[in-house]
Amino acid sequence: MTTRDSSGQAVVRLEAVHKEYGTTKALDAVTLQIRAGEAVAVMGPSGCGKSTLLNMVAGLDRPTSGTVTVHGQNLGELTETGLALFRRRRIGMIFQFFNLLDDLPALDNVALAAQLTGSTARQARARALELLDELGVADRRDVYPAALSGGERQRVAVARALMNRPALLLADEPTGALDSRAGEQVMDLLMDLNQIGQTLMIVTHDPQLATRCASRLIEFADGTVVAENNLERTP
Ligand SMILES: Nc1ncnc2c1ncn2[C@@H]1O[C@H](COP(=O)(O)OP(=O)(O)OP(=O)(O)O)[C@@H](O)[C@H]1O
Ligand SMILES: [Mg+2]
């Protein structure tokens, strides 16, 4: 499980994944693979199961049936504690709605992710500051989430997701709540990250985000994959 992925190996593998909420079929026989170094965009209408899909890959929720394998680890074999550890160490997640802790300032929201995996407070804060700086919000480091703009909050959330240099970065509408300038910054950052080998899985409604950042587009509808296309990225 701790082996490094070399380019081209499957980082994510879903086989016949079903997810039901009561009578709602959120995922219906999803089979897909994402290889190391790919940037995959998932697009589709509201309610078609995109966030559910991302939550399965992140191990935030479990399928009704089928298997989810991430970095060679079948997530179904992990206990809740095992899943939490796996997520912390291997996966970065940017949520559809900001998930920052209200009672911690921006810098600590970011640094906490590394402290939870054993970094010293000093190391964690240094890296957190570096990331906030790259994202253009270093001057907001001591501000609490309630006093940040939506765009600033999302940039703090992106910084937090990158703290542990995750082998897989998942993003659910990372630019959805941002104005175009802040959105561009996040897109540029995602592009740069992919260029240096970061594997990305991005759920978005924004065709610009998909064509700029993704090397492959997965079209989703009614809980399943309806089309897959390789993309020529438009800078
Ligand atoms: N925790 C839940 N309990 C019950 N139903 C749920 C739950 N989560 C999702 N659903 C349902 O599953 C379906 C898929 O939801 P999901 O959030 O994955 O859609 P989505 O494609 O991300 O939509 P959007 O683009 O609006 O974010 C929807 O019908 C939704 O109502
Ligand atoms: Mg969603």
Side-chain angles (χ1 to χ4, degrees), residues 149-163:
S149 74
E152 289 168 345
R153 265 180 237 171
Q154 188 62 312
R155 281 180 276 171
V156 173
V158 173
R160 181 187 54 185
L162 294 172
M163 260 315 267

Side-chain angles (χ1 to χ4, degrees), residues 131-149:
L131 284 166
L132 290 178
D133 189 39
E134 272 175 47
L135 286 159
V137 285
D139 59 332
R140 312 299 280 153
R141 73 190 130 202
D142 297 323
V143 177
Y144 288 81
L148 294 170
S149 74

Side-chain angles (χ1 to χ4, degrees), residues 69-197:
T69 308
V70 182
H71 301 296
Q73 173 67 56
N74 178 346
L75 300 190
E77 291 171 353
L78 296 175
T79 60
E80 290 305 313
T81 313
L83 263 186
L85 280 175
F86 184 81
R87 210 163 42 232
R88 232 176 245 170
R89 298 211 173 112
R90 309 303 301 272
I91 288 169
M93 183 137 185
I94 306 163
F95 292 90
Q96 183 165 15
F97 304 105
F98 328 106
N99 254 11
L100 299 175
L101 299 170
D102 290 334
D103 52 356
L104 290 181
L107 184 70
D108 294 317
N109 256 288
V110 178
L112 186 65
Q115 284 173 263
L116 288 173
T117 61
S119 292
T120 65
R122 191 154 158 252
Q123 284 170 334
R125 289 170 71 87
R127 172 151 172 81
L129 191 57
E130 201 178 285
L131 284 166
L132 290 178
D133 189 39
E134 272 175 47
L135 286 159
V137 285
D139 59 332
R140 312 299 280 153
R141 73 190 130 202
D142 297 323
V143 177
Y144 288 81
L148 294 170
S149 74
E152 289 168 345
R153 265 180 237 171
Q154 188 62 312
R155 281 180 276 171
V156 173
V158 173
R160 181 187 54 185
L162 294 172
M163 260 315 267
N164 293 329
R165 298 181 172 85
L168 175 64
L169 182 62
L170 305 174
D172 197 346
E173 299 284 0
T175 60
L178 304 181
D179 66 29
S180 58
R181 195 169 140 267
E184 297 263 327
Q185 285 176 343
V186 171
M187 281 189 238
D188 286 345
L189 182 88
L190 292 174
M191 284 266 286
D192 290 349
L193 286 167
N194 182 240
Q195 233 117 51
I196 57 169

Side-chain angles (χ1 to χ4, degrees), residues 21 24 26 45-52 96 205:
Y21 294 109
T24 304
S46 183
C48 72
K50 305 180 297 296
S51 294
T52 305
Q96 183 165 15
H205 283 113

